[in-house]
PDB file of all heavy atoms in Angstrom:
ATOM      1  N   ARG A   1      13.527 -10.749  -0.588  1.00  0.00           N
ATOM      2  CA  ARG A   1      13.700 -12.099   0.001  1.00  0.00           C
ATOM      3  C   ARG A   1      12.492 -12.363   0.815  1.00  0.00           C
ATOM      4  O   ARG A   1      12.229 -11.681   1.835  1.00  0.00           O
ATOM      5  CB  ARG A   1      14.969 -12.109   0.832  1.00  0.00           C
ATOM      6  CG  ARG A   1      15.255 -13.447   1.571  1.00  0.00           C
ATOM      7  CD  ARG A   1      16.524 -13.280   2.311  1.00  0.00           C
ATOM      8  NE  ARG A   1      16.533 -14.222   3.424  1.00  0.00           N
ATOM      9  CZ  ARG A   1      17.497 -14.247   4.365  1.00  0.00           C
ATOM     10  NH1 ARG A   1      18.453 -13.425   4.239  1.00  0.00           N
ATOM     11  NH2 ARG A   1      17.473 -15.045   5.341  1.00  0.00           N
ATOM     12  N   HIS A   2      11.740 -13.408   0.492  1.00  0.00           N
ATOM     13  CA  HIS A   2      10.441 -13.684   1.114  1.00  0.00           C
ATOM     14  C   HIS A   2      10.615 -14.629   2.290  1.00  0.00           C
ATOM     15  O   HIS A   2      10.328 -15.845   2.278  1.00  0.00           O
ATOM     16  CB  HIS A   2       9.583 -14.295   0.048  1.00  0.00           C
ATOM     17  CG  HIS A   2       9.407 -13.459  -1.167  1.00  0.00           C
ATOM     18  ND1 HIS A   2       8.825 -12.228  -1.154  1.00  0.00           N
ATOM     19  CD2 HIS A   2       9.857 -13.676  -2.449  1.00  0.00           C
ATOM     20  CE1 HIS A   2       8.863 -11.711  -2.408  1.00  0.00           C
ATOM     21  NE2 HIS A   2       9.469 -12.528  -3.171  1.00  0.00           N
ATOM     22  N   ASP A   3      10.843 -13.982   3.481  1.00  0.00           N
ATOM     23  CA  ASP A   3      11.016 -14.770   4.706  1.00  0.00           C
ATOM     24  C   ASP A   3       9.640 -15.057   5.420  1.00  0.00           C
ATOM     25  O   ASP A   3       9.549 -15.937   6.298  1.00  0.00           O
ATOM     26  CB  ASP A   3      11.969 -14.152   5.687  1.00  0.00           C
ATOM     27  CG  ASP A   3      13.421 -14.234   5.219  1.00  0.00           C
ATOM     28  OD1 ASP A   3      13.666 -14.972   4.290  1.00  0.00           O
ATOM     29  OD2 ASP A   3      14.234 -13.562   5.801  1.00  0.00           O
ATOM     30  N   SER A   4       8.713 -14.154   5.189  1.00  0.00           N
ATOM     31  CA  SER A   4       7.456 -14.206   5.918  1.00  0.00           C
ATOM     32  C   SER A   4       6.316 -14.965   5.138  1.00  0.00           C
ATOM     33  O   SER A   4       5.210 -15.119   5.689  1.00  0.00           O
ATOM     34  CB  SER A   4       6.922 -12.831   6.246  1.00  0.00           C
ATOM     35  OG  SER A   4       6.407 -12.113   5.114  1.00  0.00           O
ATOM     36  N   THR A   5       6.607 -15.378   3.920  1.00  0.00           N
ATOM     37  CA  THR A   5       5.567 -16.064   3.147  1.00  0.00           C
ATOM     38  C   THR A   5       4.992 -17.274   3.907  1.00  0.00           C
ATOM     39  O   THR A   5       5.813 -18.175   4.358  1.00  0.00           O
ATOM     40  CB  THR A   5       6.104 -16.506   1.783  1.00  0.00           C
ATOM     41  OG1 THR A   5       6.641 -15.336   1.118  1.00  0.00           O
ATOM     42  CG2 THR A   5       5.037 -17.177   0.958  1.00  0.00           C
ATOM     43  N   GLY A   6       3.677 -17.308   4.003  1.00  0.00           N
ATOM     44  CA  GLY A   6       3.054 -18.506   4.674  1.00  0.00           C
ATOM     45  C   GLY A   6       2.952 -18.309   6.148  1.00  0.00           C
ATOM     46  O   GLY A   6       2.177 -19.124   6.832  1.00  0.00           O
ATOM     47  N   LEU A   7       3.570 -17.298   6.750  1.00  0.00           N
ATOM     48  CA  LEU A   7       3.460 -17.098   8.217  1.00  0.00           C
ATOM     49  C   LEU A   7       2.103 -16.523   8.536  1.00  0.00           C
ATOM     50  O   LEU A   7       1.641 -15.619   7.805  1.00  0.00           O
ATOM     51  CB  LEU A   7       4.570 -16.232   8.729  1.00  0.00           C
ATOM     52  CG  LEU A   7       5.979 -16.744   8.721  1.00  0.00           C
ATOM     53  CD1 LEU A   7       6.928 -15.691   9.221  1.00  0.00           C
ATOM     54  CD2 LEU A   7       6.109 -18.056   9.497  1.00  0.00           C
ATOM     55  N   PRO A   8       1.426 -16.919   9.604  1.00  0.00           N
ATOM     56  CA  PRO A   8       0.251 -16.176  10.061  1.00  0.00           C
ATOM     57  C   PRO A   8       0.527 -14.717  10.402  1.00  0.00           C
ATOM     58  O   PRO A   8       1.674 -14.403  10.806  1.00  0.00           O
ATOM     59  CB  PRO A   8      -0.201 -16.914  11.294  1.00  0.00           C
ATOM     60  CG  PRO A   8       0.498 -18.252  11.242  1.00  0.00           C
ATOM     61  CD  PRO A   8       1.784 -17.997  10.483  1.00  0.00           C
ATOM     62  N   ASP A   9      -0.437 -13.852  10.241  1.00  0.00           N
ATOM     63  CA  ASP A   9      -0.272 -12.438  10.538  1.00  0.00           C
ATOM     64  C   ASP A   9       0.291 -12.203  11.892  1.00  0.00           C
ATOM     65  O   ASP A   9       1.166 -11.394  12.184  1.00  0.00           O
ATOM     66  CB  ASP A   9      -1.522 -11.675  10.377  1.00  0.00           C
ATOM     67  CG  ASP A   9      -2.000 -11.514   8.968  1.00  0.00           C
ATOM     68  OD1 ASP A   9      -1.194 -11.895   8.027  1.00  0.00           O
ATOM     69  OD2 ASP A   9      -3.082 -11.012   8.717  1.00  0.00           O
ATOM     70  N   ALA A  10      -0.224 -12.997  12.899  1.00  0.00           N
ATOM     71  CA  ALA A  10       0.171 -12.805  14.298  1.00  0.00           C
ATOM     72  C   ALA A  10       1.639 -13.140  14.490  1.00  0.00           C
ATOM     73  O   ALA A  10       2.354 -12.504  15.266  1.00  0.00           O
ATOM     74  CB  ALA A  10      -0.678 -13.628  15.249  1.00  0.00           C
ATOM     75  N   GLU A  11       2.169 -14.164  13.696  1.00  0.00           N
ATOM     76  CA  GLU A  11       3.529 -14.531  13.837  1.00  0.00           C
ATOM     77  C   GLU A  11       4.434 -13.510  13.203  1.00  0.00           C
ATOM     78  O   GLU A  11       5.509 -13.198  13.669  1.00  0.00           O
ATOM     79  CB  GLU A  11       3.742 -15.913  13.171  1.00  0.00           C
ATOM     80  CG  GLU A  11       5.206 -16.339  13.117  1.00  0.00           C
ATOM     81  CD  GLU A  11       5.798 -16.531  14.494  1.00  0.00           C
ATOM     82  OE1 GLU A  11       5.077 -16.681  15.504  1.00  0.00           O
ATOM     83  OE2 GLU A  11       7.116 -16.549  14.607  1.00  0.00           O
ATOM     84  N   VAL A  12       3.969 -12.874  12.106  1.00  0.00           N
ATOM     85  CA  VAL A  12       4.726 -11.788  11.471  1.00  0.00           C
ATOM     86  C   VAL A  12       4.926 -10.641  12.497  1.00  0.00           C
ATOM     87  O   VAL A  12       5.981 -10.133  12.696  1.00  0.00           O
ATOM     88  CB  VAL A  12       3.979 -11.245  10.251  1.00  0.00           C
ATOM     89  CG1 VAL A  12       4.690  -9.966   9.791  1.00  0.00           C
ATOM     90  CG2 VAL A  12       4.003 -12.302   9.157  1.00  0.00           C
ATOM     91  N   MET A  13       3.798 -10.299  13.205  1.00  0.00           N
ATOM     92  CA  MET A  13       3.912  -9.219  14.232  1.00  0.00           C
ATOM     93  C   MET A  13       4.821  -9.629  15.405  1.00  0.00           C
ATOM     94  O   MET A  13       5.534  -8.853  15.923  1.00  0.00           O
ATOM     95  CB  MET A  13       2.524  -8.863  14.733  1.00  0.00           C
ATOM     96  CG  MET A  13       1.665  -8.164  13.681  1.00  0.00           C
ATOM     97  SD  MET A  13       2.481  -6.610  13.019  1.00  0.00           S
ATOM     98  CE  MET A  13       2.630  -5.662  14.549  1.00  0.00           C
ATOM     99  N   ARG A  14       4.793 -10.923  15.753  1.00  0.00           N
ATOM    100  CA  ARG A  14       5.635 -11.352  16.842  1.00  0.00           C
ATOM    101  C   ARG A  14       7.116 -11.160  16.469  1.00  0.00           C
ATOM    102  O   ARG A  14       7.960 -10.772  17.298  1.00  0.00           O
ATOM    103  CB  ARG A  14       5.405 -12.843  17.197  1.00  0.00           C
ATOM    104  CG  ARG A  14       6.098 -13.337  18.468  1.00  0.00           C
ATOM    105  CD  ARG A  14       6.065 -14.818  18.582  1.00  0.00           C
ATOM    106  NE  ARG A  14       6.855 -15.487  17.612  1.00  0.00           N
ATOM    107  CZ  ARG A  14       8.157 -15.601  17.585  1.00  0.00           C
ATOM    108  NH1 ARG A  14       8.853 -15.049  18.564  1.00  0.00           N
ATOM    109  NH2 ARG A  14       8.802 -16.245  16.647  1.00  0.00           N
ATOM    110  N   ARG A  15       7.424 -11.444  15.232  1.00  0.00           N
ATOM    111  CA  ARG A  15       8.831 -11.325  14.772  1.00  0.00           C
ATOM    112  C   ARG A  15       9.211  -9.910  14.650  1.00  0.00           C
ATOM    113  O   ARG A  15      10.381  -9.523  14.856  1.00  0.00           O
ATOM    114  CB  ARG A  15       9.061 -12.137  13.442  1.00  0.00           C
ATOM    115  CG  ARG A  15       8.812 -13.599  13.537  1.00  0.00           C
ATOM    116  CD  ARG A  15       9.277 -14.277  12.325  1.00  0.00           C
ATOM    117  NE  ARG A  15       9.001 -15.725  12.411  1.00  0.00           N
ATOM    118  CZ  ARG A  15       9.549 -16.677  11.583  1.00  0.00           C
ATOM    119  NH1 ARG A  15      10.327 -16.278  10.634  1.00  0.00           N
ATOM    120  NH2 ARG A  15       9.198 -17.940  11.748  1.00  0.00           N
ATOM    121  N   LEU A  16       8.252  -8.979  14.398  1.00  0.00           N
ATOM    122  CA  LEU A  16       8.565  -7.550  14.326  1.00  0.00           C
ATOM    123  C   LEU A  16       8.627  -6.891  15.647  1.00  0.00           C
ATOM    124  O   LEU A  16       9.494  -6.011  15.894  1.00  0.00           O
ATOM    125  CB  LEU A  16       7.546  -6.890  13.445  1.00  0.00           C
ATOM    126  CG  LEU A  16       7.520  -7.187  11.883  1.00  0.00           C
ATOM    127  CD1 LEU A  16       6.388  -6.491  11.238  1.00  0.00           C
ATOM    128  CD2 LEU A  16       8.809  -6.771  11.261  1.00  0.00           C
ATOM    129  N   THR A  17       7.736  -7.273  16.546  1.00  0.00           N
ATOM    130  CA  THR A  17       7.531  -6.490  17.773  1.00  0.00           C
ATOM    131  C   THR A  17       7.690  -7.341  19.073  1.00  0.00           C
ATOM    132  O   THR A  17       7.724  -6.744  20.139  1.00  0.00           O
ATOM    133  CB  THR A  17       6.158  -5.811  17.839  1.00  0.00           C
ATOM    134  OG1 THR A  17       5.137  -6.836  17.955  1.00  0.00           O
ATOM    135  CG2 THR A  17       5.873  -5.034  16.529  1.00  0.00           C
ATOM    136  N   GLY A  18       7.698  -8.660  18.924  1.00  0.00           N
ATOM    137  CA  GLY A  18       7.709  -9.506  20.132  1.00  0.00           C
ATOM    138  C   GLY A  18       6.375  -9.875  20.616  1.00  0.00           C
ATOM    139  O   GLY A  18       6.207 -10.576  21.633  1.00  0.00           O
ATOM    140  N   GLU A  19       5.285  -9.218  20.042  1.00  0.00           N
ATOM    141  CA  GLU A  19       3.960  -9.489  20.528  1.00  0.00           C
ATOM    142  C   GLU A  19       3.021  -9.968  19.373  1.00  0.00           C
ATOM    143  O   GLU A  19       3.199  -9.535  18.228  1.00  0.00           O
ATOM    144  CB  GLU A  19       3.389  -8.258  21.092  1.00  0.00           C
ATOM    145  CG  GLU A  19       4.101  -7.673  22.350  1.00  0.00           C
ATOM    146  CD  GLU A  19       3.475  -6.456  22.888  1.00  0.00           C
ATOM    147  OE1 GLU A  19       2.498  -5.995  22.328  1.00  0.00           O
ATOM    148  OE2 GLU A  19       4.008  -5.882  23.841  1.00  0.00           O
ATOM    149  N   LYS A  20       2.148 -10.839  19.716  1.00  0.00           N
ATOM    150  CA  LYS A  20       1.157 -11.342  18.661  1.00  0.00           C
ATOM    151  C   LYS A  20      -0.035 -10.437  18.713  1.00  0.00           C
ATOM    152  O   LYS A  20      -0.915 -10.584  19.552  1.00  0.00           O
ATOM    153  CB  LYS A  20       0.807 -12.755  18.969  1.00  0.00           C
ATOM    154  CG  LYS A  20       1.896 -13.747  18.647  1.00  0.00           C
ATOM    155  CD  LYS A  20       1.403 -15.176  18.817  1.00  0.00           C
ATOM    156  CE  LYS A  20       2.493 -16.199  18.373  1.00  0.00           C
ATOM    157  NZ  LYS A  20       2.043 -17.565  18.430  1.00  0.00           N
ATOM    158  N   ALA A  21      -0.078  -9.514  17.801  1.00  0.00           N
ATOM    159  CA  ALA A  21      -1.163  -8.473  17.719  1.00  0.00           C
ATOM    160  C   ALA A  21      -1.669  -8.372  16.316  1.00  0.00           C
ATOM    161  O   ALA A  21      -1.056  -8.880  15.426  1.00  0.00           O
ATOM    162  CB  ALA A  21      -0.615  -7.119  18.184  1.00  0.00           C
ATOM    163  N   SER A  22      -2.776  -7.782  16.119  1.00  0.00           N
ATOM    164  CA  SER A  22      -3.340  -7.534  14.791  1.00  0.00           C
ATOM    165  C   SER A  22      -2.471  -6.478  14.078  1.00  0.00           C
ATOM    166  O   SER A  22      -2.137  -5.425  14.660  1.00  0.00           O
ATOM    167  CB  SER A  22      -4.736  -7.002  14.836  1.00  0.00           C
ATOM    168  OG  SER A  22      -5.238  -6.587  13.605  1.00  0.00           O
ATOM    169  N   PRO A  23      -2.039  -6.820  12.894  1.00  0.00           N
ATOM    170  CA  PRO A  23      -1.157  -5.838  12.161  1.00  0.00           C
ATOM    171  C   PRO A  23      -1.898  -4.723  11.410  1.00  0.00           C
ATOM    172  O   PRO A  23      -1.299  -3.811  10.925  1.00  0.00           O
ATOM    173  CB  PRO A  23      -0.448  -6.792  11.137  1.00  0.00           C
ATOM    174  CG  PRO A  23      -1.487  -7.843  10.826  1.00  0.00           C
ATOM    175  CD  PRO A  23      -2.217  -8.015  12.125  1.00  0.00           C
ATOM    176  N   GLU A  24      -3.220  -4.830  11.355  1.00  0.00           N
ATOM    177  CA  GLU A  24      -3.953  -3.908  10.501  1.00  0.00           C
ATOM    178  C   GLU A  24      -3.774  -2.474  10.865  1.00  0.00           C
ATOM    179  O   GLU A  24      -3.931  -2.053  12.032  1.00  0.00           O
ATOM    180  CB  GLU A  24      -5.418  -4.252  10.580  1.00  0.00           C
ATOM    181  CG  GLU A  24      -6.238  -3.740   9.358  1.00  0.00           C
ATOM    182  CD  GLU A  24      -5.818  -4.480   8.074  1.00  0.00           C
ATOM    183  OE1 GLU A  24      -6.380  -5.605   7.826  1.00  0.00           O
ATOM    184  OE2 GLU A  24      -5.017  -3.915   7.291  1.00  0.00           O
ATOM    185  N   GLY A  25      -3.382  -1.658   9.875  1.00  0.00           N
ATOM    186  CA  GLY A  25      -3.249  -0.187  10.111  1.00  0.00           C
ATOM    187  C   GLY A  25      -1.932   0.200  10.724  1.00  0.00           C
ATOM    188  O   GLY A  25      -1.728   1.434  10.876  1.00  0.00           O
ATOM    189  N   LEU A  26      -1.045  -0.685  11.132  1.00  0.00           N
ATOM    190  CA  LEU A  26       0.117  -0.359  11.853  1.00  0.00           C
ATOM    191  C   LEU A  26       1.337   0.018  11.038  1.00  0.00           C
ATOM    192  O   LEU A  26       2.412   0.225  11.509  1.00  0.00           O
ATOM    193  CB  LEU A  26       0.532  -1.509  12.805  1.00  0.00           C
ATOM    194  CG  LEU A  26      -0.539  -1.861  13.864  1.00  0.00           C
ATOM    195  CD1 LEU A  26       0.014  -2.968  14.743  1.00  0.00           C
ATOM    196  CD2 LEU A  26      -0.921  -0.659  14.686  1.00  0.00           C
ATOM    197  N   PHE A  27       1.149   0.040   9.722  1.00  0.00           N
ATOM    198  CA  PHE A  27       2.230   0.348   8.733  1.00  0.00           C
ATOM    199  C   PHE A  27       1.947   1.608   7.985  1.00  0.00           C
ATOM    200  O   PHE A  27       0.833   1.844   7.549  1.00  0.00           O
ATOM    201  CB  PHE A  27       2.411  -0.911   7.850  1.00  0.00           C
ATOM    202  CG  PHE A  27       2.737  -2.121   8.585  1.00  0.00           C
ATOM    203  CD1 PHE A  27       1.702  -2.900   9.063  1.00  0.00           C
ATOM    204  CD2 PHE A  27       4.043  -2.556   8.904  1.00  0.00           C
ATOM    205  CE1 PHE A  27       1.925  -4.052   9.820  1.00  0.00           C
ATOM    206  CE2 PHE A  27       4.290  -3.662   9.618  1.00  0.00           C
ATOM    207  CZ  PHE A  27       3.234  -4.429  10.050  1.00  0.00           C
ATOM    208  N   PHE A  28       2.979   2.404   7.754  1.00  0.00           N
ATOM    209  CA  PHE A  28       2.812   3.668   7.079  1.00  0.00           C
ATOM    210  C   PHE A  28       2.901   3.500   5.566  1.00  0.00           C
ATOM    211  O   PHE A  28       3.901   2.939   5.035  1.00  0.00           O
ATOM    212  CB  PHE A  28       3.881   4.708   7.580  1.00  0.00           C
ATOM    213  CG  PHE A  28       3.564   6.060   7.130  1.00  0.00           C
ATOM    214  CD1 PHE A  28       2.539   6.802   7.696  1.00  0.00           C
ATOM    215  CD2 PHE A  28       4.317   6.702   6.171  1.00  0.00           C
ATOM    216  CE1 PHE A  28       2.288   8.059   7.251  1.00  0.00           C
ATOM    217  CE2 PHE A  28       4.074   8.006   5.749  1.00  0.00           C
ATOM    218  CZ  PHE A  28       3.023   8.666   6.324  1.00  0.00           C
ATOM    219  N   PRO A  29       1.906   4.015   4.833  1.00  0.00           N
ATOM    220  CA  PRO A  29       1.922   3.873   3.381  1.00  0.00           C
ATOM    221  C   PRO A  29       2.909   4.857   2.751  1.00  0.00           C
ATOM    222  O   PRO A  29       2.871   6.076   3.004  1.00  0.00           O
ATOM    223  CB  PRO A  29       0.453   4.241   2.972  1.00  0.00           C
ATOM    224  CG  PRO A  29      -0.033   5.115   4.072  1.00  0.00           C
ATOM    225  CD  PRO A  29       0.670   4.616   5.301  1.00  0.00           C
ATOM    226  N   ASP A  30       3.833   4.324   1.956  1.00  0.00           N
ATOM    227  CA  ASP A  30       4.868   5.211   1.344  1.00  0.00           C
ATOM    228  C   ASP A  30       5.611   4.352   0.378  1.00  0.00           C
ATOM    229  O   ASP A  30       5.383   3.152   0.233  1.00  0.00           O
ATOM    230  CB  ASP A  30       5.814   5.704   2.478  1.00  0.00           C
ATOM    231  CG  ASP A  30       6.608   6.959   2.054  1.00  0.00           C
ATOM    232  OD1 ASP A  30       6.513   7.337   0.873  1.00  0.00           O
ATOM    233  OD2 ASP A  30       7.250   7.506   2.916  1.00  0.00           O
ATOM    234  N   THR A  31       6.578   4.958  -0.380  1.00  0.00           N
ATOM    235  CA  THR A  31       7.436   4.211  -1.250  1.00  0.00           C
ATOM    236  C   THR A  31       8.726   3.927  -0.448  1.00  0.00           C
ATOM    237  O   THR A  31       9.349   4.869   0.029  1.00  0.00           O
ATOM    238  CB  THR A  31       7.731   5.064  -2.520  1.00  0.00           C
ATOM    239  OG1 THR A  31       6.612   5.311  -3.234  1.00  0.00           O
ATOM    240  CG2 THR A  31       8.800   4.303  -3.385  1.00  0.00           C
ATOM    241  N   TYR A  32       9.094   2.681  -0.412  1.00  0.00           N
ATOM    242  CA  TYR A  32      10.237   2.290   0.339  1.00  0.00           C
ATOM    243  C   TYR A  32      11.312   1.737  -0.642  1.00  0.00           C
ATOM    244  O   TYR A  32      11.061   0.867  -1.400  1.00  0.00           O
ATOM    245  CB  TYR A  32       9.898   1.157   1.358  1.00  0.00           C
ATOM    246  CG  TYR A  32       9.022   1.708   2.433  1.00  0.00           C
ATOM    247  CD1 TYR A  32       7.666   1.703   2.356  1.00  0.00           C
ATOM    248  CD2 TYR A  32       9.604   2.241   3.594  1.00  0.00           C
ATOM    249  CE1 TYR A  32       6.832   2.229   3.307  1.00  0.00           C
ATOM    250  CE2 TYR A  32       8.780   2.750   4.649  1.00  0.00           C
ATOM    251  CZ  TYR A  32       7.405   2.773   4.501  1.00  0.00           C
ATOM    252  OH  TYR A  32       6.605   3.293   5.533  1.00  0.00           O
ATOM    253  N   ILE A  33      12.533   2.371  -0.532  1.00  0.00           N
ATOM    254  CA  ILE A  33      13.623   1.968  -1.394  1.00  0.00           C
ATOM    255  C   ILE A  33      14.541   1.051  -0.612  1.00  0.00           C
ATOM    256  O   ILE A  33      14.827   1.311   0.596  1.00  0.00           O
ATOM    257  CB  ILE A  33      14.429   3.242  -1.867  1.00  0.00           C
ATOM    258  CG1 ILE A  33      13.510   4.158  -2.706  1.00  0.00           C
ATOM    259  CG2 ILE A  33      15.670   2.811  -2.622  1.00  0.00           C
ATOM    260  CD1 ILE A  33      14.081   5.494  -3.054  1.00  0.00           C
ATOM    261  N   PHE A  34      15.007  -0.024  -1.242  1.00  0.00           N
ATOM    262  CA  PHE A  34      15.796  -1.013  -0.503  1.00  0.00           C
ATOM    263  C   PHE A  34      16.788  -1.666  -1.479  1.00  0.00           C
ATOM    264  O   PHE A  34      16.675  -1.609  -2.693  1.00  0.00           O
ATOM    265  CB  PHE A  34      14.879  -2.106   0.090  1.00  0.00           C
ATOM    266  CG  PHE A  34      14.053  -2.776  -0.905  1.00  0.00           C
ATOM    267  CD1 PHE A  34      14.416  -3.975  -1.548  1.00  0.00           C
ATOM    268  CD2 PHE A  34      12.798  -2.241  -1.245  1.00  0.00           C
ATOM    269  CE1 PHE A  34      13.621  -4.581  -2.444  1.00  0.00           C
ATOM    270  CE2 PHE A  34      11.949  -2.889  -2.173  1.00  0.00           C
ATOM    271  CZ  PHE A  34      12.444  -4.029  -2.794  1.00  0.00           C
ATOM    272  N   GLY A  35      17.792  -2.305  -0.886  1.00  0.00           N
ATOM    273  CA  GLY A  35      18.750  -3.040  -1.755  1.00  0.00           C
ATOM    274  C   GLY A  35      18.153  -4.397  -2.146  1.00  0.00           C
ATOM    275  O   GLY A  35      17.401  -5.033  -1.401  1.00  0.00           O
ATOM    276  N   LYS A  36      18.362  -4.782  -3.387  1.00  0.00           N
ATOM    277  CA  LYS A  36      17.819  -6.023  -3.911  1.00  0.00           C
ATOM    278  C   LYS A  36      18.260  -7.174  -2.984  1.00  0.00           C
ATOM    279  O   LYS A  36      19.393  -7.253  -2.561  1.00  0.00           O
ATOM    280  CB  LYS A  36      18.246  -6.280  -5.307  1.00  0.00           C
ATOM    281  CG  LYS A  36      17.627  -5.335  -6.357  1.00  0.00           C
ATOM    282  CD  LYS A  36      18.040  -5.720  -7.776  1.00  0.00           C
ATOM    283  CE  LYS A  36      17.301  -4.834  -8.766  1.00  0.00           C
ATOM    284  NZ  LYS A  36      17.679  -5.234 -10.157  1.00  0.00           N
ATOM    285  N   GLY A  37      17.295  -8.029  -2.703  1.00  0.00           N
ATOM    286  CA  GLY A  37      17.575  -9.166  -1.839  1.00  0.00           C
ATOM    287  C   GLY A  37      17.243  -8.859  -0.398  1.00  0.00           C
ATOM    288  O   GLY A  37      17.451  -9.720   0.474  1.00  0.00           O
ATOM    289  N   GLU A  38      16.667  -7.661  -0.118  1.00  0.00           N
ATOM    290  CA  GLU A  38      16.302  -7.291   1.257  1.00  0.00           C
ATOM    291  C   GLU A  38      15.184  -8.229   1.764  1.00  0.00           C
ATOM    292  O   GLU A  38      14.378  -8.667   1.021  1.00  0.00           O
ATOM    293  CB  GLU A  38      15.857  -5.839   1.303  1.00  0.00           C
ATOM    294  CG  GLU A  38      15.620  -5.311   2.719  1.00  0.00           C
ATOM    295  CD  GLU A  38      16.932  -5.281   3.551  1.00  0.00           C
ATOM    296  OE1 GLU A  38      17.639  -4.234   3.409  1.00  0.00           O
ATOM    297  OE2 GLU A  38      17.174  -6.267   4.264  1.00  0.00           O
ATOM    298  N   ARG A  39      15.204  -8.507   3.087  1.00  0.00           N
ATOM    299  CA  ARG A  39      14.167  -9.392   3.683  1.00  0.00           C
ATOM    300  C   ARG A  39      12.848  -8.627   3.786  1.00  0.00           C
ATOM    301  O   ARG A  39      12.858  -7.444   4.095  1.00  0.00           O
ATOM    302  CB  ARG A  39      14.639  -9.842   5.110  1.00  0.00           C
ATOM    303  CG  ARG A  39      15.875 -10.641   5.081  1.00  0.00           C
ATOM    304  CD  ARG A  39      16.444 -10.810   6.463  1.00  0.00           C
ATOM    305  NE  ARG A  39      15.510 -11.541   7.304  1.00  0.00           N
ATOM    306  CZ  ARG A  39      14.988 -11.085   8.472  1.00  0.00           C
ATOM    307  NH1 ARG A  39      15.261  -9.824   8.799  1.00  0.00           N
ATOM    308  NH2 ARG A  39      14.243 -11.797   9.190  1.00  0.00           N
ATOM    309  N   ASP A  40      11.733  -9.304   3.503  1.00  0.00           N
ATOM    310  CA  ASP A  40      10.410  -8.636   3.585  1.00  0.00           C
ATOM    311  C   ASP A  40      10.154  -8.171   5.053  1.00  0.00           C
ATOM    312  O   ASP A  40       9.539  -7.082   5.226  1.00  0.00           O
ATOM    313  CB  ASP A  40       9.344  -9.537   3.131  1.00  0.00           C
ATOM    314  CG  ASP A  40       9.301 -10.962   3.721  1.00  0.00           C
ATOM    315  OD1 ASP A  40      10.035 -11.144   4.728  1.00  0.00           O
ATOM    316  OD2 ASP A  40       8.549 -11.800   3.271  1.00  0.00           O
ATOM    317  N   LEU A  41      10.678  -8.905   5.995  1.00  0.00           N
ATOM    318  CA  LEU A  41      10.409  -8.451   7.421  1.00  0.00           C
ATOM    319  C   LEU A  41      11.166  -7.182   7.736  1.00  0.00           C
ATOM    320  O   LEU A  41      10.655  -6.355   8.575  1.00  0.00           O
ATOM    321  CB  LEU A  41      10.842  -9.588   8.346  1.00  0.00           C
ATOM    322  CG  LEU A  41       9.903 -10.819   8.385  1.00  0.00           C
ATOM    323  CD1 LEU A  41      10.633 -11.949   9.184  1.00  0.00           C
ATOM    324  CD2 LEU A  41       8.571 -10.480   8.964  1.00  0.00           C
ATOM    325  N   THR A  42      12.301  -6.974   7.092  1.00  0.00           N
ATOM    326  CA  THR A  42      13.060  -5.747   7.301  1.00  0.00           C
ATOM    327  C   THR A  42      12.284  -4.564   6.729  1.00  0.00           C
ATOM    328  O   THR A  42      12.176  -3.465   7.359  1.00  0.00           O
ATOM    329  CB  THR A  42      14.429  -5.855   6.635  1.00  0.00           C
ATOM    330  OG1 THR A  42      15.100  -6.909   7.253  1.00  0.00           O
ATOM    331  CG2 THR A  42      15.225  -4.516   6.783  1.00  0.00           C
ATOM    332  N   ILE A  43      11.640  -4.735   5.532  1.00  0.00           N
ATOM    333  CA  ILE A  43      10.921  -3.669   4.939  1.00  0.00           C
ATOM    334  C   ILE A  43       9.686  -3.386   5.731  1.00  0.00           C
ATOM    335  O   ILE A  43       9.279  -2.200   5.988  1.00  0.00           O
ATOM    336  CB  ILE A  43      10.525  -4.030   3.492  1.00  0.00           C
ATOM    337  CG1 ILE A  43      11.815  -4.197   2.642  1.00  0.00           C
ATOM    338  CG2 ILE A  43       9.561  -2.991   2.832  1.00  0.00           C
ATOM    339  CD1 ILE A  43      11.512  -4.840   1.311  1.00  0.00           C
TER     340      ILE A  43
END
C-alpha cells in the first residue's frame, strides 16, 4: 500500500521518527516479509 508516494524524503522521515532528517543510510538492507496490503511506511 503506497502511502508515501510523492512525499519528500524529509516528510517520510518525519512520519517515521518525528524529525525531518536525511534518510540516507538509515535503513538496514535485508529481505522483509509482510502481509499483502502492508503500508510502505510500516515496512
Side-chain angles (χ1 to χ4, degrees):
R1 177 178 153 188
H2 306 293
D3 287 350
S4 72
T5 302
L7 293 179
D9 289 353
E11 177 60 20
V12 171
M13 290 305 296
R14 189 193 67 78
R15 296 193 184 192
L16 289 177
T17 69
E19 298 180 1
K20 290 187 175 182
S22 169
E24 202 68 82
L26 299 182
F27 301 86
F28 191 71
D30 203 351
T31 298
Y32 292 88
I33 298 173
F34 57 91
K36 288 185 177 179
E38 187 65 85
R39 299 167 63 240
D40 52 8
L41 289 170
T42 300
I43 298 169

